[in-house]
Amino acid sequence: MKNKGKEAFILISIISIFFNASCASQSPVVFERQEKRRITLLRAKDIKESIKRRILLEPLTQTQAKEGVEVTVRYATQKELVEFFMNQDIFGANAGASPFLPNMIVFYIKISNQGNEKIRLDPSEFVMIDDLNTQYSYLSPEYIATLHETRGTIYTIARTAEAAPGLYGAGVGLATDITKGRSGRKRFLLAQSALSGGYIYKEIVYDGYIAFFKPNKLASQLRLIIPNIKTSFGPDDRPLSSADFEFKFKILTEE
């Protein structure tokens, strides 16, 4: 076991060194983690095609309800993202370009607790699966912010969000603190708009955005799986039951 661990560490180190060297020399080859438990070698040409390729999903919006939980999923178009993140009434001085990268696919999720008990969800468990049997992992706001930093696509900040109202209750002080630094604006927009985990209490409607890497260009269908939403709890707060939701989409390429 120790030898295997050592070999894995060496392999990861080699990949890291190669990746850093490739970035420094603008090599046409980079590594990208695209699916569960596999690192794919991508050519720069493939990455550019993925970024340029604009897709649509059909249907655009779906809603399912079970065990007192109603979940609505909407494919977030580029137009929606532009209009949302440019809204100064929501983001104040930090309004600007979408923090989601062009090679990502974004969904708007709305969850309504219509039952008599609190519920709990964890977006990190969400997955997207295409008809090529590729499973795509949820991209956390922290990971997306790191991608911006490592790829040099950070937008500079003209001023701090001293007057930002704060979406989902973030206070003025918090808005000011997290927008300091090179990647502050992106982190602020992601923190304010991303669907986060935790308890949702009776009659509360909770929403936000989630993202994955774009599917393979050969894929024609997608499944978005929202699993393990805890729907009831025992006296010791241990979950007693849960509900899974699965949404199916057809992929259309926008010319």
Side-chain angles (χ1 to χ4, degrees), residues 117 232-240:
E117 296 188 55
S232 66
F233 300 84
D236 56 357
D237 211 32
R238 285 190 298 179
L240 300 177

Side-chain angles (χ1 to χ4, degrees), residues 60-149:
L60 192 66
T61 304
Q62 298 182 52
T63 298
Q64 294 180 18
K66 62 177 71 172
E67 298 188 29
V69 181
E70 183 180 88
V71 179
T72 297
V73 173
R74 181 177 72 238
Y75 168 62
T77 63
Q78 186 62 30
K79 180 181 178 182
E80 174 182 335
L81 295 174
V82 169
E83 292 177 350
F84 178 68
F85 287 105
M86 291 293 292
N87 191 330
Q88 292 189 358
D89 291 335
I90 297 175
F91 297 109
N94 286 295
S98 169
F100 296 106
L101 291 164
N103 63 338
M104 294 176 183
I105 183 170
V106 183
F107 295 93
Y108 167 79
I109 309 292
K110 182 173 70 174
I111 299 175
S112 175
N113 183 359
Q114 301 175 346
N116 294 318
E117 296 188 55
K118 64 186 179 183
I119 63 176
R120 189 172 67 202
L121 71 144
D122 183 359
S124 67
E125 297 180 343
F126 296 4
V127 297
M128 186 179 75
I129 301 175
D130 63 25
D131 54 344
L132 303 177
N133 295 322
T134 302
Q135 178 172 313
Y136 301 83
S137 297
Y138 158 86
L139 302 177
S140 70
E142 294 78 14
Y143 180 72
I144 297 173
T146 300
L147 287 179
H148 279 287
E149 293 171 353

